[in-house]
Amino acid sequence: MKKCLRCKHNNNDENNYCIKCGAPLKNVCTNVRCPNWENNNQLPDEAAFCPLCGSETLFKTYGLASSSLDIKDEDLPF
Ligand SMILES: [Zn+2]
Ligand SMILES: [Zn+2]
């Protein structure tokens, strides 16, 4: 199961978009010329920008990437 970041609905793992609200469930690069996009590589949920090309991720365009907003000091590994 994959929980929607927007509405918290539990979707099937194979779903690319939430069946309840249409939000993307898999974070991918939005740059069609990027190797990550060509290979359909999934990026971390918290990724706001693609690590390879610097383009906005799909989650970022939907306002779902948490970026720095939800990161607390205790969540950092160091
Ligand atoms: Zn949803
Ligand atoms: Zn990219």
Side-chain angles (χ1 to χ4, degrees):
M1 299 294 258
K2 177 88 172 133
K3 184 176 273 191
C4 174
L5 289 175
R6 182 191 277 166
C7 74
K8 313 302 184 199
H9 179 75
N10 280 320
N11 288 270
N12 292 330
D13 283 334
E14 57 267 24
N15 289 5
N16 287 324
Y17 290 87
C18 176
I19 62 169
K20 284 285 184 184
C21 73
L25 299 171
K26 293 174 182 173
N27 199 12
V28 294
C29 180
T30 57
N31 180 358
V32 296
R33 285 169 298 185
C34 174
N36 269 343
W37 191 91
E38 289 175 1
N39 297 322
N40 208 21
N41 286 339
Q42 194 171 350
L43 301 172
D45 284 356
E46 67 271 20
F49 296 94
C50 174
L52 278 187
C53 71
S55 296
E56 287 190 341
T57 64
L58 190 59
F59 276 21
K60 167 74 170 172
T61 63
Y62 276 78
L64 296 172
S66 52
S67 65
S68 62
L69 295 176
D70 297 323
I71 296 177
K72 302 181 187 70
D73 284 340
E74 56 264 33
D75 293 329
L76 297 173
F78 309 113

